[in-house]
Amino acid sequence: MIIRILSFVSVFTLTNALVTSPLSPQDIDTIARGGVAIIPNFLPKPLIESMRNDAKYLFQNGFFTPDGLTNTALAKTQQGFTPKADRQTFRGGADWSSKEFGDYDTRLEFRNRMQQVKDHLASELNRPSLRVEGLKRHEMTYNWYEPGAKLGRHLDEHHEETKGVKGWLLESRRSVTWLVYLNEGWTKEDGGALRTYPRQKLATTQVGAHDGNLQVGWIENDPVFLDCFRPSGQSALYTVVIDTKGERLVRNVLTVRDFDVPSQPIEFAKFLPKELGDKFEQISTARLDPRFAKISNGGNDSVLDNAAACSKEDEGYYIDVIPEAGTLVLFDSVSLPHLVREVTGNRRRIAATGWFHEDSTMLL
């Protein structure tokens, strides 16, 4: 087990509100290769205070609802989320566009700042469809955690082919996850740290997606992608390597034969030759992500299978981020598992969180 606890790690600080983007080349490289970029002082204190007051007003007036991790094997009415144990969320529309409640001007100012970040990422990560505007292309929320609340380990986005009947329904998908914290003077003792699980050594190539095919695992530091657009009509797993001339990236297909993606829970290692299957690490499994945990007793009492209920928080290499006011956190939505540790102090943990979307279809 190797631990890093970080709060202010980025050497790049936003000191001028007119700067187009607070992201340094190092931050971009970190996101592209599967790490977590942490940018302190992203927001000025007056905006932090206005957003915090807006969130408190909305919470006090009943605009937040509990929405922990939804288990795919249970109906919505069986999830059992509670305000004391789970995250509570204010959504307010796909882009906080409603003027009907709270401090709209504050949310609009914040949205414009995040728009600058999104446009910068679209260019520097070579994800051009991040720039596209429209309904559900940029999710923005407030999150609220009461003392004792937490959020289990999970991914923010999965390959459409692994979603069963819910796959391929939307034109866009989550591409980059962002969080901005709003609590002044938050300390390690208050709990509620964001725990992220990047590779100890960042990837050799860009993570998340390649040619529209999303990543599902790793072999050492190489992302493994799932291609479900094969001529056979089936799927294959592959990595990306430099060609023999050292000129361009090409696919290295790992599976001996194409296969049909089964329903959840899925174990992709069984489709690989044994020598590769032994090295393969799947990012999201029934054991690591409670949304895909099996249900005991036929699902009648909402009991998660003990073996799959959740993994240990300190399993593997991780980086903890203390939720200090004004800090911006960014990472790839497909490749980086994360969780929120239990709030152990007496304060409410408040943050703005969201996702930048890009096209979910295969790039032609």
Side-chain angles (χ1 to χ4, degrees), residues 215-257:
Q215 182 182 352
V216 295
W218 298 90
I219 291 183
E220 297 177 344
N221 295 310
D222 294 327
V224 176
F225 303 96
L226 173 64
D227 178 5
C228 59
F229 297 98
R230 302 280 287 175
S232 65
Q234 296 179 298
S235 301
L237 299 171
Y238 71 93
T239 57
V240 177
V241 298
I242 301 293
D243 68 8
T244 55
K245 297 181 179 179
E247 296 177 349
R248 62 190 182 94
L249 296 174
V250 297
R251 299 186 188 193
N252 174 37
V253 177
L254 305 176
T255 41
V256 176
R257 61 182 61 86

Side-chain angles (χ1 to χ4, degrees), residues 40-62:
N41 303 323
F42 170 65
L43 295 183
K45 287 189 176 181
L47 183 54
I48 296 171
E49 183 176 0
S50 294
M51 292 179 68
R52 185 168 61 242
N53 289 337
D54 183 40
K56 288 180 177 179
Y57 170 84
L58 293 166
F59 183 82
Q60 292 165 359
N61 286 273

Side-chain angles (χ1 to χ4, degrees), residues 342-361:
E342 181 178 343
V343 177
T344 53
N346 296 318
R347 305 173 61 191
R348 278 79 174 175
R349 180 189 187 274
I350 308 172
T353 66
W355 301 269
F356 299 139
H357 281 227
E358 64 176 308
D359 292 344
S360 64
T361 53

